[in-house]
Amino acid sequence: MTTQIGIEDYGFATGSKVFDLSLLAEHQQISQEKYTIGIGQEKFSVPSYDEDVVTLAAAAASQITSRMDPAQLDSIRTLIVATESGIDQSKAVAVYVHRLLELHRNVRCFEVKQACYGGTAGLATAQGIIARNNDERVLVVAVDVARYDADSSGEPTQGNAAVALLVSATPTLLAFDHAQGLAVTDAMDFWRPNHRTTALVDGRASIQVYIQQVLTAWDDYARHGGRQFEDFAAFCYHQPFTKMAAKAHQRLSRHVSTELSAPAVTAQIDPTFVYNRVVGNSYTASMYVGLIGLLEGSNDLSNKPIAFASYGSGAMCEVFSAVVLPSYADHLHTERTQHTLGQREPVDFQSYRRLYYDYPNPTDGTAITIARETPGPFRLAEISDNQRHYEAC
Ligand code: CAA
């Protein structure tokens, strides 16, 4: 029997404040339906000054490690953090997270980047490591804070989240299939040069590149022995905004000439939108936020296959699939996810703009201490000597 490799546990974290897009529509004097219907978004999470990709990643990962016994913790020999909004050009977010989690010393820690595809690259790497040694576990964290310029077309599609996934040869939630479909093309649809804190995007072009990359990766997945479109109970896409995934899925359904009815095609993706509609774009975490929404919000998915279309601008796409394991329902953390989302503090327009654009980020070595605000387990306490200092709360 071949070993199953898949996801054994997960954790989720997002910024502790939340901004309602109706307030942005009011500021812009446009109909809020452009957001609720046009792009399929209602709200997005906003980080407090003492939250960033390190604290969010550690918060999500610590939910998993707190449920593990010492022997299981020792089996984590790789910690991968995928992000495109990292805090240092050299030192990996994973090293900060490793210390905050108090993991043992013998861990391979590194950061992965290819826009919103990074988390999937982390999962592919994890599968290779576990295939070599079935006793090891790999902790993969996908985390991002999505930032565009104020008053740009991207502003309503901001957000942030971290999803931690424990990958092992003893999965309880999902087991990965072998087939993978790949597509890469050199595109300038979305990028962030080193001197900028906000991303640049060619919005309309990015939608076309996304769709074309999904179709090309799907064809590669099919050529490599993948399942049929009709076999899937659900599809998880990268979700910069939920309507993007709906557009891509409708286009893919035409591409494969499915005989499924239009409502059946829609039902394949709708459950993946529930959390992303109120979290916003979390870049490399967003597809996995969609997966959590699907698992926590659907009727019995046992033994059902799920397809993933993981897109990252620039542009990379991977299509892969997994089967939901019968044990999955006993390993969900639905109440915790809903509590995390429900406890976010609503902020008004001025507070959102201040938090999103005036956050502590000295570029001249100035020392600042940061007031405690986050209800999360870790915080950014100080920036001094060009170093960021984190602490457990
Ligand atoms: N009621 C209902 N719908 C309305 C409406 C109203 N009152 N007003 C407008 N709409 C609809 C429009 O008809 C349009 O729908 P279609 O796309 O189906 O035609 C939709 O709302 C958006 O309207 P606009 O095209 O006028 O909006 P825009 O140009 O201001 O911005 C955007 C759209 C370009 C996608 C912008 O949100 C953006 O730049 N986002 C960032 C880039 C992005 O997310 N790209 C996705 C692919 S790249 C990627 O996936 C990587 C990543 O994470 C960034």
Side-chain angles (χ1 to χ4, degrees):
M1 191 177 116
T2 51
T3 311
Q4 280 190 327
I5 298 176
I7 300 176
E8 185 177 340
D9 199 1
Y10 68 95
F12 165 76
T14 189
S16 59
K17 301 183 192 297
V18 63
F19 178 65
D20 195 312
L21 284 172
S22 63
L23 302 176
L24 182 62
E26 197 179 295
H27 165 78
Q28 295 172 327
Q29 299 185 315
I30 59 166
S31 162
Q32 72 179 81
E33 291 183 340
K34 172 167 178 183
Y35 298 140
T36 53
I37 298 171
I39 62 168
Q41 292 299 128
E42 290 166 38
K43 302 175 181 185
F44 60 76
S45 294
V46 175
S48 59
Y49 282 163
D50 57 347
E51 294 170 328
D52 68 6
V53 288
V54 171
T55 68
L56 293 175
S62 67
Q63 292 161 26
I64 295 175
T65 54
S66 65
R67 290 188 281 263
M68 296 173 79
D69 65 33
Q72 290 172 326
L73 284 170
D74 280 352
S75 70
I76 298 178
R77 287 177 55 79
T78 305
L79 167 57
I80 303 171
V81 176
T83 185
E84 58 181 299
S85 45
I87 48 134
D88 193 286
Q89 288 286 18
S90 296
K91 183 169 171 175
V93 169
V95 176
Y96 293 91
V97 172
H98 172 270
R99 187 199 33 100
L100 291 172
L101 296 179
E102 298 181 354
L103 292 177
H104 63 94
R105 281 291 292 279
N106 307 111
V107 181
R108 179 190 292 118
C109 288
F110 59 96
E111 189 169 310
V112 170
K113 178 185 71 183
Q114 179 16 64
C116 308
Y117 168 73
T120 300
L123 280 187
T125 306
Q127 289 174 64
I129 290 168
I130 295 162
R132 193 176 60 180
N133 182 352
N134 288 176
D135 295 330
E136 290 191 21
R137 288 179 167 85
V138 179
L139 190 49
V140 179
V141 190
V143 61
D144 269 309
V145 178
R147 278 196 172 88
Y148 297 91
D149 285 346
D151 297 319
S152 70
S153 70
E155 184 180 6
T157 67
Q158 299 181 116
N160 58 82
V163 174
L165 299 169
L166 184 66
V167 186
S168 76
T170 51
T172 61
L173 295 159
L174 301 177
F176 294 117
D177 291 336
H178 285 281
Q180 292 162 347
L182 304 172
V184 67
T185 187
D186 185 352
M188 290 304 281
D189 58 328
F190 166 101
W191 68 106
R192 182 166 68 82
N194 286 344
H195 62 277
R196 290 184 60 99
T197 54
T198 51
L200 295 167
V201 65
D202 184 344
R204 302 310 302 178
S206 70
I207 293 172
Q208 296 315 316
V209 182
Y210 178 125
I211 290 174
Q212 192 51 54
Q213 283 292 92
V214 168
L215 302 185
T216 308
W218 175 271
D219 290 346
D220 192 52
Y221 171 79
R223 272 196 304 275
H224 284 83
R227 297 173 190 266
Q228 303 290 310
F229 183 90
E230 284 81 3
D231 294 345
F232 289 108
F235 283 72
C236 278
Y237 285 81
H238 166 53
Q239 293 176 32
F241 49 94
T242 63
K243 184 88 172 283
M244 179 69 246
K247 279 178 193 283
H249 194 55
Q250 282 154 12
R251 185 67 186 80
L252 180 63
S253 70
R254 290 203 300 278
H255 182 69
V256 299
S257 307
T258 181
E259 288 177 8
L260 289 178
S261 65
V265 170
T266 302
Q268 289 176 320
I269 47 169
D270 269 359
T272 70
F273 295 163
V274 57
Y275 294 149
N276 278 303
R277 277 184 76 89
V278 295
V279 166
N281 192 358
S282 55
Y283 291 160
T284 194
S286 89
M287 190 175 79
Y288 299 100
V289 176
L291 170 63
I292 294 173
L294 172 71
L295 295 176
E296 293 184 354
S298 305
N299 293 329
D300 192 12
L301 288 168
S302 299
N303 296 314
K304 296 196 175 148
I306 298 176
F308 295 83
S310 177
Y311 176 72
S313 289
M316 175 70 213
C317 187
E318 179 166 339
V319 169
F320 62 100
S321 53
V323 175
V324 181
L325 297 170
S327 53
Y328 89 100
D330 297 329
H331 295 84
L332 298 178
H333 312 294
T334 314
E335 260 179 46
R336 178 168 197 144
T337 310
Q338 289 177 356
H339 176 73
T340 301
L341 293 173
Q343 76 167 359
R344 290 174 300 171
E345 180 196 341
V347 288
D348 62 19
F349 183 77
Q350 277 75 22
S351 306
Y352 141 65
R353 280 276 178 98
R354 183 176 49 77
L355 285 159
Y356 232 89
Y357 297 111
D358 292 337
Y359 60 95
N361 187 27
T363 52
D364 58 359
T366 306
I368 46 169
T369 51
I370 299 156
R372 179 179 299 234
E373 241 184 309
T374 180
F378 305 104
R379 59 186 298 274
L380 172 63
E382 184 184 322
I383 304 176
S384 57
D385 296 328
N386 292 300
Q387 296 176 32
R388 297 168 82 85
H389 301 279
Y390 296 93
E391 63 182 26
C393 296

